[in-house]
Amino acid sequence: KKVRFYDDLIKDKIVVISFMYTRCADGTCPITTANLVRVQKLLGDRVGLGAGTVEVDFMGARASFPSGVYLLAAALHCPVYLIFALYREPNRYEIHCELFAEEVILPRKARSRGIAEYAQHYAHRLGHYGRVAPDNWFNFFDFWAAAPK
């Protein structure tokens, strides 16, 4: 089903957008990344409701993923979409948008398990697109570092 990004998916909604660069021909990527890092540092203690990481299977190994995004999504009671933009020669992007969860629900007595299940689902989708277009993924986060205990 074809959808319009703004009109069908994000108009009048609270959204969080995360992205990565697949090319940096004009040299602005380092500047933009530096600005995003400053924003992340400013909001670091506010975003994610103080959560840490959760360890899940990712592309054949255990890896740590941030867990706060699921707490934030649960608090907002909003649908969560995943959007992947795969660079294709010459100079075009193939956009994939899929519903991740109609609503993130984290039962109080099983919150950790719920977060792990959502993180595992995300890791599965990220791994899928990483395998579909391995040259499109530039990783700035050490997924395979030892998870904090």
Side-chain angles (χ1 to χ4, degrees), residues 30-44 46:
I31 297 166
T32 304
T33 299
N35 286 332
L36 291 172
V37 167
R38 287 195 347 231
V39 170
Q40 180 183 20
K41 286 179 181 176
L42 288 170
L43 298 177
R46 295 170 188 85

Side-chain angles (χ1 to χ4, degrees), residues 18-34:
S18 176
F19 65 93
M20 63 184 174
Y21 300 108
T22 59
R23 292 188 149 224
C24 190
D26 64 1
T28 61
C29 299
I31 297 166
T32 304
T33 299

Side-chain angles (χ1 to χ4, degrees), residues 53-86:
T53 61
V54 60
E55 190 174 291
V56 298
D57 292 318
F58 180 55
M59 298 181 79
R62 299 295 285 173
S64 295
F65 282 79
S67 58
V69 295
Y70 308 105
L71 293 167
L72 183 61
L76 293 173
H77 302 286
C78 62
V80 177
Y81 290 88
L82 301 179
I83 301 172
F84 297 92
L86 308 180

Side-chain angles (χ1 to χ4, degrees), residues 98-110:
E98 56 189 67
L99 180 66
F100 178 75
E102 193 63 51
E103 181 179 354
V104 171
I105 299 171
L106 299 172
R108 189 172 297 280
K109 292 184 179 182

Side-chain angles (χ1 to χ4, degrees), residues 100-149:
F100 178 75
E102 193 63 51
E103 181 179 354
V104 171
I105 299 171
L106 299 172
R108 189 172 297 280
K109 292 184 179 182
R111 183 166 290 161
S112 294
R113 186 178 68 227
I115 289 170
E117 289 171 1
Y118 284 112
Q120 185 60 67
H121 179 56
Y122 174 71
H124 174 74
R125 300 310 301 146
L126 183 61
H128 167 77
Y129 286 104
R131 287 181 177 96
V132 166
D135 293 334
N136 275 222
W137 187 31
F138 295 92
N139 182 23
F140 297 100
F141 180 77
D142 190 358
F143 285 101
W144 294 279
K149 301 292 180 197

